[in-house]
Amino acid sequence: MELWTSARRSKVIDVRGVLGVLVLFYTIGVESRKSVKWDYFEYGASSCRAHSASVSDFGGVGDGTTVNTKAFQAAIDHLSQFSSEGGSLLYVPPGRWLTGSFNLTSYFTLYLDKDAVLLGSENESEYPLIEPLPSYGRGRDADGARYSSLIFGKNLTDVVITGANGTIDGQGELWWTKFRAGKLDYTRPYLIEIMFSTDVQISNLTLINSPSWNVHPVYCSNVVVQGLTILAPVKSPNTDGINPDSCTNTRIQDCYIVSGDDCVAVKSGWDEYGISFGMPTKQLVIRRLTCISPTSAVIALGSEMSGGIEDVRAEDITAIDSESGC
Ligand SMILES: *[C@@H]1O[C@H](CO)[C@@H](O)[C@H](O)[C@H]1NC(C)=O
Ligand SMILES: *[C@@H]1O[C@H](CO)[C@@H](O)[C@H](O)[C@H]1NC(C)=O
Ligand SMILES: *[C@@H]1O[C@H](CO)[C@@H](O)[C@H](O)[C@H]1NC(C)=O
Ligand SMILES: *[C@@H]1O[C@H](CO)[C@@H](O)[C@H](O)[C@H]1NC(C)=O
Ligand SMILES: *[C@@H]1O[C@H](CO)[C@@H](O)[C@H](O)[C@H]1NC(C)=O
């Protein structure tokens, strides 16, 4: 392991078992180094898509009880035709929008009004079963298939999930109860999972009560996660905040996370599956993070990290109540 020496660094955490070259800075109140390597990507796309629609144009009703899964999927399927014509934005108006899992498309922005709440359905059938991740070989909660995340995207380019601090509420209680009782047939859904995608931004939202992990970019590149407030009860199981997993070039910044598990967990697959998939997480910067995770880490490396972790920088991190730094 290489450790840079710098008078501006206030504390260096020793990290064991990290593959590749890991440089972990743990600085408080210090400006970033002169290198601008981390600042190459900025997406302003959310405000300039050529086409837009509201979920209420597709039969959606934000009354907290109508199931809107079909409305969301119909809206996004319709908007996907504009991917080569300037892209599109789906607006979610004020209201409580109950929905099961739906899939995103490319050159697309999902935008939540500040008074919009997406409510994750408590009906398991509203979450299609999908294959385990190739780098894990099995689900984390159970063998075999796993439930698709509430918001899911696969093989996409340029996808933005944002809003004026609108809320996504996973209504995780039911899932936590089943998990604790050992009654899950399949692995719990995440709140947001984006797989095999490039140019991904998740910003300016409040995420609460995820059934399991909150934000899971996996096999992605050029990922920005910014301005999120993530809240879960500190005793809720596996409610990790943000889990960059086998991703290249990821920036996580200006997030406030209260979690029953790690605030950020850097991953790259599990045992022989992770080794044979061989996709490390690399070029990751985490800054201006505030974390409350009384039973877990501020930034965990692993536990699943069999594909390796390289080039991680963390700076300007505030831990209010955590078991460990990393
Ligand atoms: C989303 O896509 C996955 C395949 O990537 C599919 O299994 C699932 O059924 C889709 N979900 C919906 C709601 O259409
Ligand atoms: C759960 O969702 C499935 C599929 O959408 C539906 O057929 C079923 O009626 C729902 N169950 C309840 C209790 O709402
Ligand atoms: C998604 O991308 C992966 C990796 O590039 C590829 O193996 C898979 O076939 C793609 N799936 C679809 C539906 O395009
Ligand atoms: C977003 O909403 C959360 C929850 O109400 C709040 O704690 C947070 O300060 C808000 N963030 C911003 C930037 O307004
Ligand atoms: C997020 O909110 C901040 C503060 O309100 C705003 O300056 C910024 O443009 C927003 N960013 C995105 C990507 O929506």
Side-chain angles (χ1 to χ4, degrees), residues 60-68 94-98 119:
V61 181
D63 61 2
T65 53
T66 304
V67 182
N68 292 295
R96 293 170 65 76
W97 303 87
L98 181 65
L119 282 177

Side-chain angles (χ1 to χ4, degrees), residues 36-37 102 120 167 187 189 199-200 213 250 288 295 299-300 304 316 324:
V36 293
K37 173 178 164 192
F102 58 86
T167 299
T187 295
D199 298 357
V200 176
W213 300 350
T250 301
R288 301 189 295 273
T295 61
I299 299 170
E304 300 92 342
D316 221 337
S324 59

Side-chain angles (χ1 to χ4, degrees), residues 120-245:
S121 170
E122 296 181 298
N123 178 347
E124 287 172 6
S125 311
E126 291 282 342
Y127 299 80
L129 292 173
I130 58 173
E131 303 259 292
L133 293 166
S135 59
Y136 285 66
R138 52 159 291 166
R140 292 181 89 258
D141 297 333
D143 273 330
R146 58 201 193 102
Y147 294 106
S148 183
S149 61
L150 183 63
I151 299 178
F152 183 66
K154 190 172 176 188
N155 293 44
L156 304 180
T157 302
D158 184 358
V159 60
V160 179
I161 305 168
T162 190
N165 204 17
T167 299
I168 304 175
D169 179 351
Q171 305 207 93
E173 186 71 54
L174 172 137
W175 298 96
W176 306 329
T177 304
K178 277 202 143 187
F179 171 79
R180 290 191 186 105
K183 289 202 168 134
L184 284 170
D185 295 325
Y186 306 103
T187 295
R188 284 168 286 166
Y190 304 133
L191 222 46
I192 299 173
E193 181 174 74
I194 309 291
M195 295 175 65
F196 294 114
S197 298
T198 185
D199 298 357
V200 176
Q201 184 191 105
I202 302 165
S203 62
N204 290 3
L205 294 167
T206 295
L207 312 183
I208 62 175
N209 300 323
S210 177
S212 179
W213 300 350
N214 278 272
V215 176
H216 185 219
V218 56
Y219 325 126
C220 290
S221 59
N222 301 352
V223 179
V224 178
V225 178
Q226 179 171 1
L228 298 187
T229 301
I230 300 181
L231 307 173
V234 293
K235 297 239 153 71
S236 55
N238 311 113
T239 48
D240 296 12
I242 302 162
N243 292 8
D245 196 344

Side-chain angles (χ1 to χ4, degrees), residues 46 89-93 109-114 116 160-164:
S46 56
L89 178 146
L90 180 63
Y91 173 68
V92 183
T109 300
L110 178 68
Y111 185 94
L112 271 63
D113 187 274
K114 75 174 165 36
V160 179
I161 305 168
T162 190

